Amino acid sequence: MGGIPDSVLSQSPLSSEPKQSKVSHLLALGLNGGMGQELASRRVAMIVEDDAAISVVLRTMLEDEGYQVLCAASAEQATVALAEQLPEIALVDLRLPGLQGIDLVRLIRQSSQIPIVIVTAQTDSHDVVACLEAGADDYITKPFVPKEVTARIRSIL
């Protein structure tokens, strides 16, 4: 399992705890208003996607909708970003390096009810059900139609 860089973890007062606890601690800081605040002037969305091409498409689509977009290529990067700033919505891929997308959904749900949309190539009904039961609000399979994604986001919000 991949982890948060030791340089980030060494700044945490929980440096002797297991990495999973450190991730939960960092996540809790952001989700409970610890270190970061939302921007007042723009809505904020987070994309957690390790495929750069897909991330660019999603980012462009969200920026066209007026969002400031935070991007992370792994769940670990996402937890650090969430500690800095809580987005209005998160789009999460399932298959990520290190901690998987469904695990990130569970971590977010421990402290927040922000909408989470899974955007993944996984089409198996077991994956869909597991993600929804873990706390995801919607599940979109790749390839996706950008207008459908934005319509689903608007519907959730």
Side-chain angles (χ1 to χ4, degrees):
M1 177 166 87
I4 297 174
D6 289 335
S7 61
V8 172
L9 294 176
S10 66
Q11 297 171 9
S12 168
L14 303 175
S15 59
S16 63
E17 291 185 19
K19 286 190 179 188
Q20 188 67 26
S21 293
K22 292 174 191 174
V23 170
S24 297
H25 173 71
L26 286 171
L27 190 57
L29 285 174
L31 298 180
N32 292 325
M35 296 189 296
Q37 301 295 324
E38 288 183 299
L39 288 181
S41 61
R42 289 185 78 185
R43 298 176 297 173
V44 179
M46 173 174 276
I47 299 168
V48 187
E49 170 64 65
D50 61 332
D51 183 318
I54 293 172
S55 187
V56 167
V57 170
L58 290 170
R59 180 184 195 117
T60 301
M61 176 193 74
L62 288 167
E63 286 175 343
D64 287 347
E65 291 289 312
Y67 284 91
Q68 173 192 349
V69 181
L70 309 173
C71 291
S74 70
E76 291 83 2
Q77 288 177 359
T79 59
V80 172
L82 285 165
E84 297 285 329
Q85 184 170 23
L86 183 63
E88 184 176 327
I89 190 166
L91 281 67
V92 179
D93 186 18
L94 276 187
R95 304 291 179 239
L96 297 167
L99 195 65
Q100 295 296 295
I102 193 168
D103 299 317
L104 178 60
V105 170
R106 289 183 185 117
L107 280 172
I108 292 171
R109 282 294 171 252
Q110 289 176 4
S111 302
S112 176
Q113 291 301 311
I114 65 167
I116 301 170
V117 178
I118 301 296
V119 182
T120 185
Q122 306 305 316
T123 59
D124 186 80
S125 63
H126 296 293
D127 289 326
V128 176
V129 171
C131 287
L132 294 172
E133 288 180 348
D137 297 286
D138 202 353
Y139 193 103
I140 300 171
T141 56
K142 300 172 190 170
F144 54 81
V145 177
K147 287 187 179 207
E148 179 183 344
V149 175
T150 57
R152 287 174 180 251
I153 290 171
R154 278 190 232 110
S155 175
I156 290 171
L157 296 174

